[in-house]
């Protein structure tokens, strides 16, 4: 009897375009941890190097668009990627390069986390970058995952006399080309955190979550990457949004304070906790801060 020589099946391959974070709380390191925790094999195209910690971002240093493109195209020619996840791109040139790359793969779902500022409020994307995202990436986006301030900034109009509602923002973002928009309500002044998933016909689901007391570094990265991982594993957009929120809540509930600033979500909470130690989430629990 001979031993089998069959090659084990590959886990789902997800290509991430994002900037680094030395603390591994956010950025491409957070994406890697999240995707690996959910059983995916993450691939990367680094877009920028940042100097930051759990307190805030000191500086952002974009890589050249040529280097970003070389990273991505080399991987895409070698491996069957099943989902894209996009975070901080760092420059207009990088937005244009990534938009051109993903346009060659329209069948691959694209999850876009428009990280416009850090949790402390450090600006990560200027107006030129935002304009390029609107024009070049939103029409190719399967699911956009802004928090409420990001949604308003992306959807703002010169004709607005007052701050638009998130419903109006979602409608505008879908009109710009995004297939689905998940707006997280962590920054809204509400007793519960309300996250709303929108499609072409309006709101699809609204999930209310109890606010956690801490402030977290990289919860938005975790949520968007978890959605990408679930979709890569075969889930529908709606099921992926539901399951990713549950996973993200667990990472925050088990978060730890490694430095002097925000808590870091524990993406591998399940590897360090007993069944009794990890509380089961309920339909009313959710991340506190989105970055």
């Amino acid at each position: 009897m001979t031993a089998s020589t069959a090659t084990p099946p590959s886990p789902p391959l997800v290509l991430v375009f994002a900037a680094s974070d030395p603390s591994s709380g956010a950025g491409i390191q957070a994406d890697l941890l999240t995707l690996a925790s959910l059983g995916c094999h993450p691939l990367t195209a680094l877009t920028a190097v940042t100097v930051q910690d759990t307190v805030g971002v000191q500086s952002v240093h974009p890589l050249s668009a040529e280097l970003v493109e070389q990273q991505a195209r080399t991987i895409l020619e070698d491996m069957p990627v099943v989902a894209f996840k996009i975070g901080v791109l760092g420059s207009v040139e990088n937005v244009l390069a990534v938009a051109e790359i993903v346009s060659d793969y329209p069948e691959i779902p694209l999850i876009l986390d428009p990280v416009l500022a850090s949790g402390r409020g450090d600006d990560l994307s200027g107006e030129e970058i935002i304009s390029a995202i609107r024009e070049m990436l939103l029409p190719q986006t399967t699911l956009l995952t802004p928090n409420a301030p990001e949604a308003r900034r992306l959807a703002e109009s010169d004709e607005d006399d007052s701050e638009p509602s998130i419903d109006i923002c979602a409608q505008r973002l879908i009109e710009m080309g995004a297939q689905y928009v998940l707006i997280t309500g962590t920054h809204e002044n509400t007793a519960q955190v309300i996250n709303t998933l929108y499609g072409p016909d309006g709101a699809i689901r609204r999930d209310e979550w109890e606010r956690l007391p801490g402030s977290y570094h990289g919860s938005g990265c975790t949520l968007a990457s978890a959605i990408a991982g679930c979709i890569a594993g075969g889930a529908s957009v709606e099921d992926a949004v539901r399951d990713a929120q549950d996973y993200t809540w667990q990472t925050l509930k088990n978060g730890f304070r490694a430095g002097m600033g925000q808590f870091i979500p524990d993406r591998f909470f399940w590897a360090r906790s007993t069944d009794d130690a990890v509380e089961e989430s309920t339909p009313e629990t959710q991340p506190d801060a989105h970055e």
Side-chain angles (χ1 to χ4, degrees):
M1 188 173 181
T2 59
S4 173
T5 58
T7 302
S10 167
L13 305 177
V14 179
L15 177 56
V16 178
F17 297 87
S20 71
D21 172 8
S23 77
S24 292
I28 207 162
Q29 289 90 335
D31 300 326
L32 295 175
L33 289 166
T34 299
L35 290 165
S37 178
L38 292 176
C40 295
H41 181 73
L43 312 167
T44 62
L46 187 66
T47 60
V49 174
T50 71
V51 178
Q52 65 175 301
D53 55 19
T54 60
V55 177
V57 179
Q58 297 181 33
S59 59
V60 179
H61 307 272
L63 273 65
S64 71
E66 180 182 7
L67 186 53
V68 172
E69 182 176 5
Q70 288 175 352
Q71 292 176 82
R73 292 206 182 277
T74 299
I75 287 297
L76 286 162
E77 290 170 6
D78 181 49
M79 303 181 191
V81 171
V82 295
F84 292 126
K85 189 271 180 177
I86 299 177
V88 169
L89 294 178
S91 69
V92 172
E93 292 78 11
N94 285 349
V95 174
L96 300 180
V98 171
E100 183 176 354
I101 292 165
V102 299
S103 70
D104 292 336
Y105 301 87
E107 75 284 358
I108 298 179
L110 189 158
I111 312 306
L112 174 57
D113 180 20
V115 187
L116 306 185
S118 72
R120 187 176 66 176
D122 307 294
D123 196 11
L124 295 174
S125 298
E127 290 304 319
E128 290 186 356
I129 293 177
I130 292 172
S131 179
I133 288 173
R134 288 191 195 107
E135 295 178 21
M136 305 303 296
L137 280 178
L138 284 189
Q140 303 187 68
T141 296
T142 305
L143 174 65
L144 182 70
T145 64
N147 58 36
E150 290 167 342
R152 291 191 174 99
R153 193 171 172 191
L154 283 167
E156 65 185 358
S157 169
D158 293 337
E159 298 177 359
D160 291 333
D161 294 325
S162 59
E163 190 173 72
S165 69
I166 60 169
D167 290 344
I168 291 175
C169 290
Q171 179 182 353
R172 290 177 181 175
L173 293 168
I174 287 173
E175 289 173 352
M176 291 178 192
Q179 293 180 38
Y180 297 90
V181 178
L182 173 66
I183 299 181
T184 58
T186 53
H187 291 71
E188 297 293 88
N189 186 25
T190 55
Q192 303 277 60
V193 173
I194 303 174
N195 293 347
T196 309
L197 175 65
Y198 298 87
D201 297 323
I204 297 173
R205 61 180 296 137
R206 296 183 193 272
D207 296 302
E208 293 190 9
W209 305 87
E210 178 185 350
R211 289 185 180 273
L212 295 175
S215 176
Y216 300 89
H217 182 53
S219 56
C221 302
T222 305
L223 179 59
S225 288
I227 293 170
C230 291
I231 289 176
S236 66
V237 169
E238 186 172 352
D239 287 347
V241 166
R242 178 199 64 204
D243 293 345
Q245 287 183 82
D246 179 76
Y247 169 81
T248 302
W249 179 84
Q250 294 280 13
T251 70
L252 302 184
K253 183 67 174 178
N254 291 278
F256 55 93
R257 195 178 189 200
M260 295 181 288
Q262 294 176 306
F263 283 77
I264 293 177
D266 186 0
R267 286 93 182 185
F268 281 87
F269 63 87
W270 52 265
R272 282 179 276 275
S273 303
T274 64
D275 291 340
D276 294 335
V278 178
E279 295 182 28
E280 290 297 325
S281 64
T282 70
E284 298 181 346
T285 51
Q286 164 61 20
D288 174 59
H290 174 94
E291 180 185 340

